[in-house]
Amino acid sequence: MQRLFALIKSNRCRIAALLSTSLLGSCAITDRQDSIVLQVALASNENEQQSTSRFQSERKIIKDFQQQLKEMQPGIKLHISIYPEESLEQEIRVRTHSGLGPDLVIADSNQALSLAADGLTDPIKLTKERQNLINPAALERVKTASGSLAGQPVSQFLQLACFDKRKLKEAPKTLKELSAASGEGTVFGMVTNLQDLYWSLGSFGAGEALATSLEGKKPSVAAHERLTQWMQWLKASSYQQNIVFLRNQAELRKELIEGEMSWISCWSSQLPQLREALKDHLGIAPLPSGNFGRATPITRLQVWALGKNSSKRQRAESLKLLNFMVQPWAQKTYALKYRTVYPVNPAAALIVSKQLPNGLNAFSEDENKRVGHGDAIVAAVNARPKLEKDIQSTLNELIFDGLSPEQAATELETQIKAKR
Amino acid sequence: MTLPMSYIITIGPGPILNELLSWLGYLHRGTVLLQLLVVGIVMVAEQRGALRRGVEHRLIPEYIRVLIGPLLLLISSGLFRLVGLPWGLLRYFGLLWLGWVSFTPLKTVLLSIDNKFPVDELESTFLRPIYVIVASISFLRLMGSTQNLSQTPIANLFGVELTLGRIYVAIIAIYVIMTLSSRPATFLAWVSGVLFGVRSRNRRGLELLFRYSVIIIGIIGVAYFIGIDGTAFIAIAGGLSVGIGFGVKEIISNFISSIWLLFEGSVRPGEILMINGDPCTVRKLGLRATQLRRGRDGAELLIPNQKFFTQEATSFTATETSRRDGVIVGAAYEHDPDIIVELLRTIAKEHKKVLEYPPVKAFVIDFAESSINYKVLFWVANPLDSFEVGSDLRRTIWKQFEQKGITIPFPQRQVYPMEWPPSLQQSLHSAGGRGVVTQGIEPKATGSDEKTNGEA
């Protein structure tokens, strides 16, 4: 080791000359091709624990996307860094303070708002024309307190039901059917966190109680009653042998792939992995509705935000790319190619909805308005780690321990109201 | 079984190159260039001594003055922050530089606490490597390349895809195992010593055996970590069998010899062996060669292990450590050999490093031309002491002989300057003792070319 240091020390001038020559040489190469490298930071919300395969499916899509983009936008080269959702903010902060921040940040709407509030991204100004290309409800979800836009919505990931066609001919359409099917020996899997369970709140109309609590008000008796009913359903499901609650989506997917489960709640972003493993046996359907109404799955709105450190040219190229991404052609092409996202461009959504897999095509524009409540609740919970932990603890006690649904409903309302 | 080369190893450095080239995009940013410029100016100023000249003062020691450059960068980063410019690069380089130059004051502090503290070893085996690891990881993090590079597959070894991250971790793990394996090995050897009564001189051999075991287990663990499983190991073994037959025969032979010698216990650290007539202490039994220290001149010898395995070696410590040595001395014919023998025995016995048992023995060994020669044989506990003891005995013998009037005869030479061809008269003069130039003691008698002082 010492020899190496001595060698470096004695040859530092040569090393510096070599580095600068190669640097200049490389500059010359890139300039000749007249292309620019845009640094992109992508948040991975795979909802997985640290594992070696965490970013595998995203990497494949990114590689393919980069290749595609090369043909359509030859002047732009994307250098994409993937970060786990939970560390994205910290990583961007370190890089931005050094002047090495990304030109573009791809995150979900809640995280984009948080980044903008922390001054780690620049607000985006969209022309009227460009705004017309995007669903107004989606734009509403990225509006900051000052009225500016934290980023540009590009697509959205949906929560769906994924099942193995060999074990289940048809996905249950209602929670009743789900209970009945589980009694016949079919294994159903869900995740025990509020974000992943939120879809079932709609089936009981229980979202209202949480939304009211979030506003700091006391929910009405009827709303409280509906929340208790949801809790009762959760408790009853946990008693059923064939309804299994697991910690995260990764474990659910693993069980479905290995044939241990027949039906799971899943995200459209995870479909490539499931398609690769289950091939034609993978079935996709909307999540089951309840007596009160339709399921209210939360969508993850994918937002592209502008970084702080870009040069003039990098900013111009970033805006050019953002414009390209919401054009009907790009929206349609990428939605159909990867079949994991729903377009934010209404015109493109209309074209592709019939060609998208079941579940994705069932998503309508109105859904954006309906998920508004859920999105706000989940965003408030995610922004407060303590609250998130408390809610998780309440749900765990309800599902795995002896907490009664009545107590759990009151506790949940109090926790959200307190916003600790 | 022949394996295609592509199965054994495939290397694709393309993704790394792409990643490195992507960093050039940062050079389009004025704020990055500005920070790099400040770093460059400060470094050049430091290099030319411009920064230190301003504070040259006897009261400020050199190890404080080297901190000026990095502190200047850190202050600049603070100023950049105040005016709302990106400042992290300045802070990064400032801290990096500060870390590098902090080794000197740190060493000074450690040495002032305990001057026997192995600071150089600590620096080269622990501090500098940690510094390099931290610096490289934090740099990649700044560049936004940690995940990309760590998950970039760059090589395929025996069908296993190796990512850069795994290779990096594997290198660090192997370095840590190699560097730190001696600690658990020493502990295990000590435990064995206590539990099974292993003698301390055997413990060092045992320690080495444990160390190799720790290293082998560690390397297998690292191999499993990077994904080389049982099948790959079989493939590696297959490859090695061919390799052993050709290129690495000598290496394997030396390695096997080292293991064998350790088990046999014939070449252990601390052992004293005669190499080309010189006593040498075994310092280290390595995987390839044994390191010895020659007692005569302190030279370090590196001898391949298989030499000990295939050739004879003289050991003074194989079963017992004592060594027998002797001193030869001549005394004039006029002295009684019994007295001389007794005197020599007494002199040797009285030396504190000469063992009582086996007893000292003295012999008359020769009626030589000008003296009776004697030999005194003695034993010492430490073979390396024999040379010193021999010297001591010779000095004592000389002093004792001087006191007791015993002479040690030695040849003398007389030189006669002569003409050539010699005239008869000159020859006669010479014979009469005139014009003689002597070396040593001037002779009293003439007519002989060589005389001993015993005869004189």
Side-chain angles (χ1 to χ4, degrees):
Chain A
M1 191 60 81
Q2 266 181 334
R3 272 186 209 165
L4 180 72
F5 290 130
L7 196 73
I8 292 171
K9 209 173 173 183
S10 58
N11 291 303
R12 58 191 164 192
C13 290
R14 280 175 211 167
I15 291 168
L18 190 73
L19 282 177
S20 48
T21 316
S22 48
L23 208 69
L24 290 172
S26 316
C27 276
I29 291 167
T30 44
D31 282 344
R32 204 183 312 142
Q33 289 169 346
D34 199 32
S35 64
I36 189 160
V37 178
L38 292 183
Q39 297 286 338
V40 181
L42 172 70
S44 162
N45 43 21
E46 276 285 86
N47 192 12
E48 286 194 24
Q49 299 302 308
Q50 283 289 351
S51 74
T52 48
S53 59
R54 175 160 185 172
F55 306 124
Q56 229 168 37
S57 57
E58 277 152 322
R59 272 182 189 286
K60 274 185 196 166
I61 293 177
I62 283 171
K63 214 173 168 184
D64 193 62
F65 177 71
Q66 282 169 321
Q67 205 62 37
Q68 287 255 326
L69 194 75
K70 217 175 179 180
E71 290 164 21
M72 301 311 300
Q73 300 279 331
I76 298 175
K77 277 182 186 170
L78 294 186
H79 174 257
I80 302 177
S81 310
I82 309 176
Y83 295 108
E85 196 177 43
E86 58 275 15
S87 64
L88 177 82
E89 224 161 296
Q90 179 55 24
E91 295 293 336
I92 290 185
R93 180 168 284 119
V94 170
R95 288 179 61 184
T96 304
H97 285 163
S98 306
L100 304 172
D103 298 302
L104 287 165
V105 181
I106 304 175
D108 69 26
S109 52
N110 295 332
Q111 203 154 29
L113 284 168
S114 170
L115 287 169
D118 287 352
L120 296 174
T121 52
D122 278 338
I124 188 167
K125 283 175 193 154
L126 296 181
T127 57
K128 205 79 192 145
E129 276 174 2
R130 183 100 68 93
Q131 285 194 20
N132 288 339
L133 290 171
I134 303 166
N135 185 317
L139 281 174
E140 202 58 41
R141 286 170 73 180
V142 290
K143 247 183 199 161
T144 61
S146 62
S148 59
L149 296 176
Q152 176 187 285
V154 168
S155 57
Q156 45 199 335
F157 295 113
L158 315 178
Q159 202 183 3
L160 306 159
C162 294
F163 62 99
D164 189 337
K165 284 183 192 165
R166 289 168 294 187
K167 300 191 172 180
L168 201 65
K169 281 185 181 166
E170 208 173 38
K173 288 188 179 67
T174 62
L175 291 175
K176 242 183 203 171
E177 281 180 33
L178 189 146
S179 294
S182 69
E184 290 160 13
T186 312
V187 183
F188 290 79
M190 286 175 245
V191 178
T192 56
N193 70 51
L194 187 64
Q195 187 179 359
D196 285 273
L197 280 174
Y198 195 85
W199 62 270
S200 56
L201 277 159
S203 313
F204 292 90
E208 190 193 329
L210 298 185
T212 317
S213 302
L214 190 67
E215 287 165 11
K217 296 173 193 163
K218 193 172 187 282
S220 66
V221 178
H224 176 77
E225 186 54 36
R226 288 199 294 273
L227 182 64
T228 311
Q229 278 173 15
W230 176 65
M231 295 283 191
Q232 279 164 347
W233 171 78
L234 271 183
K235 187 88 180 168
S237 301
S238 73
Y239 286 150
Q240 288 204 33
Q241 203 184 343
N242 291 325
I243 296 183
V244 181
F245 288 91
L246 293 180
R247 262 185 327 125
N248 58 42
Q249 285 288 344
E251 284 182 29
L252 274 189
R253 283 203 302 279
K254 195 173 155 235
E255 299 274 303
L256 183 71
I257 289 167
E258 286 173 0
E260 299 292 323
M261 284 183 183
S262 318
W263 181 102
I264 61 167
S265 63
C266 63
W267 283 91
S268 62
S269 57
Q270 297 153 0
L271 288 175
Q273 193 188 342
L274 291 171
R275 279 189 193 118
E276 196 179 326
L278 294 172
K279 308 240 165 15
D280 292 340
H281 303 301
L282 176 70
I284 302 164
L287 286 157
S289 45
N291 289 335
F292 186 85
R294 282 177 58 186
T296 49
I298 292 175
T299 62
R300 280 202 202 115
L301 191 64
Q302 199 187 55
V303 177
W304 290 38
L306 295 168
K308 295 283 276 188
N309 300 134
S310 305
S311 67
K312 271 187 185 171
R313 192 175 162 209
Q314 284 166 338
R315 177 56 59 86
E317 293 294 337
S318 300
L319 289 170
K320 193 173 144 192
L321 182 62
L322 286 185
N323 185 36
F324 168 75
M325 287 306 293
V326 285
Q327 294 301 322
W329 183 88
Q331 288 272 302
K332 180 201 77 176
T333 309
Y334 296 128
L336 289 177
K337 182 168 172 56
Y338 303 114
R339 292 180 297 152
T340 58
V341 291
Y342 194 81
V344 290
N345 183 316
L350 206 66
I351 301 166
V352 301
S353 64
K354 281 177 190 167
Q355 294 177 58
L356 283 175
N358 191 20
L360 271 171
N361 65 3
F363 185 79
S364 70
E365 290 309 307
D366 295 337
E367 301 279 330
N368 262 324
K369 290 168 196 161
R370 290 208 307 118
V371 299
H373 280 315
D375 202 45
I377 293 167
V378 170
V381 172
N382 287 349
R384 296 171 185 82
K386 171 92 173 63
L387 177 61
E388 195 177 1
K389 207 175 156 191
D390 288 346
I391 290 176
Q392 191 60 56
S393 160
T394 306
L395 290 176
N396 286 347
E397 277 179 46
L398 173 78
I399 294 169
F400 303 114
D401 284 333
L403 191 70
S404 73
E406 291 74 17
Q407 285 172 316
T410 313
E411 215 167 279
L412 202 61
E413 284 166 358
T414 317
Q415 283 163 347
I416 293 179
K417 205 170 163 184
K419 288 187 201 169
R420 280 173 299 173
Chain B
M1 186 178 73
T2 47
L3 293 166
M5 196 59 196
S6 61
Y7 176 75
I8 297 169
I9 188 159
T10 319
I11 297 172
I16 298 177
L17 201 66
N18 279 341
E19 194 69 29
L20 299 185
L21 283 175
S22 75
W23 296 351
L24 295 171
Y26 293 123
L27 296 176
H28 286 274
R29 299 177 180 179
T31 51
V32 173
L33 289 175
L34 185 65
Q35 289 182 84
L36 291 178
L37 188 71
V38 174
V39 172
I41 289 170
V42 174
M43 288 185 95
V44 169
E46 163 70 21
Q47 184 74 24
R48 301 200 165 183
L51 298 179
R52 293 191 207 183
R53 268 200 296 275
V55 284
E56 262 184 27
H57 194 281
R58 278 183 195 173
L59 292 175
I60 304 171
E62 175 63 15
Y63 63 83
I64 298 291
R65 268 183 283 160
V66 294
L67 302 178
I68 296 167
L71 289 177
L72 214 58
L73 282 186
L74 291 176
I75 293 166
S76 315
S77 80
L79 292 174
F80 268 56
R81 194 176 182 175
L82 275 177
V83 295
L85 284 170
W87 46 273
L89 264 183
L90 285 171
R91 191 186 64 166
Y92 172 76
F93 284 113
L95 289 176
L96 212 62
W97 194 357
L98 189 67
W100 185 260
V101 294
S102 294
F103 290 126
T104 316
L106 183 70
K107 276 162 70 180
T108 315
V109 170
L110 287 174
L111 282 175
S112 68
I113 296 167
D114 179 6
N115 60 1
K116 285 182 183 166
F117 195 86
V119 277
D120 289 330
E121 192 191 339
L122 180 80
E123 186 187 0
S124 61
T125 59
F126 186 69
L127 295 177
R128 299 260 180 206
I130 283 187
Y131 176 86
V132 170
I133 291 167
V134 172
S136 55
I137 290 178
S138 54
F139 180 74
L140 292 180
R141 189 183 168 205
L142 266 185
M143 293 290 165
S145 298
T146 319
Q147 289 286 349
N148 285 1
L149 280 179
S150 70
Q151 300 203 359
T152 300
I154 56 152
N156 199 308
L157 185 68
F158 299 106
V160 178
E161 197 175 68
L162 297 180
T163 59
L164 200 61
R166 281 175 178 232
I167 292 173
Y168 190 75
V169 173
I171 290 170
I172 293 173
I174 288 173
Y175 178 77
V176 170
I177 290 165
M178 300 286 250
T179 316
L180 300 182
S181 59
S182 58
R183 271 66 180 177
T186 312
F187 176 72
L188 282 174
W190 176 77
V191 169
S192 311
V194 172
L195 290 179
F196 306 110
V198 180
R199 283 187 294 171
S200 62
R201 69 195 182 101
N202 290 348
R203 275 187 209 169
R204 292 189 72 179
L206 205 60
E207 191 183 313
L208 268 180
L209 267 183
F210 281 133
R211 192 173 172 210
Y212 291 153
S213 311
V214 171
I215 290 173
I216 289 168
I217 292 168
I219 288 174
I220 291 173
V222 170
Y224 269 99
F225 165 74
I226 60 171
I228 297 174
D229 55 6
T231 326
F233 270 117
I234 293 168
I236 291 169
L240 276 182
S241 62
V242 179
I244 291 166
F246 295 101
V248 293
K249 188 172 102 28
E250 295 297 315
I251 297 170
I252 298 295
S253 163
N254 279 320
F255 175 69
I256 300 292
S257 301
S258 77
I259 300 286
W260 187 270
L261 292 170
L262 269 178
F263 271 114
E264 196 182 58
S266 53
V267 179
R268 285 173 299 227
E271 198 92 6
I272 291 158
L273 300 174
M274 291 296 279
I275 307 292
N276 299 329
D278 285 311
C280 301
T281 314
V282 178
R283 299 288 288 265
K284 201 171 134 190
L285 183 59
L287 288 174
R288 186 193 69 81
T290 304
Q291 192 183 341
L292 299 108
R293 189 172 189 275
R294 192 157 61 195
R296 173 164 58 88
D297 53 4
E300 301 261 332
L301 308 180
L302 271 174
I303 298 174
N305 292 330
Q306 58 174 338
K307 286 243 178 201
F308 294 109
F309 194 67
T310 52
Q311 290 175 13
E312 63 171 56
T314 311
S315 170
F316 283 110
T317 44
T319 51
E320 56 170 327
T321 57
S322 52
R323 179 185 174 185
R324 197 180 199 190
D325 206 349
V327 171
I328 295 171
V329 65
Y333 270 91
E334 65 194 58
H335 306 300
D336 182 351
D338 286 347
I339 296 169
I340 306 287
V341 164
E342 193 48 42
L343 181 64
L344 289 175
R345 205 182 287 148
T346 313
I347 291 169
K349 267 184 194 173
E350 280 171 0
H351 195 284
K352 60 181 178 185
K353 283 189 178 171
V354 171
L355 294 175
E356 279 182 32
Y357 189 85
V360 171
K361 290 198 171 166
F363 305 96
V364 177
I365 55 167
D366 195 14
F367 290 112
E369 259 185 63
S370 51
S371 63
I372 299 176
N373 292 342
Y374 301 88
K375 185 173 192 179
V376 57
L377 291 167
F378 56 90
W379 290 83
V380 285
N382 183 350
L384 291 178
D385 286 342
S386 70
F387 192 76
E388 186 192 334
V389 172
S391 160
D392 289 348
L393 291 182
R394 283 182 193 95
R395 281 190 290 130
T396 317
I397 288 168
W398 188 90
K399 283 175 187 162
Q400 291 279 329
F401 276 20
E402 185 76 5
Q403 272 180 18
K404 293 187 170 27
I406 300 166
T407 47
I408 301 173
F410 59 90
Q412 292 179 76
R413 182 173 296 154
Q414 292 182 349
V415 181
Y416 301 90
M418 295 173 80
E419 269 180 21
W420 194 264
S423 64
L424 185 60
Q425 197 179 4
Q426 198 177 20
S427 296
L428 286 172
H429 274 288
S430 297
R434 280 196 301 265
V436 174
V437 177
T438 59
Q439 281 184 344
I441 301 161
E442 196 174 333
K444 285 176 183 170
T446 53
S448 169
D449 279 343
E450 281 198 354
K451 283 187 178 186
T452 62
N453 69 341
E455 287 170 277

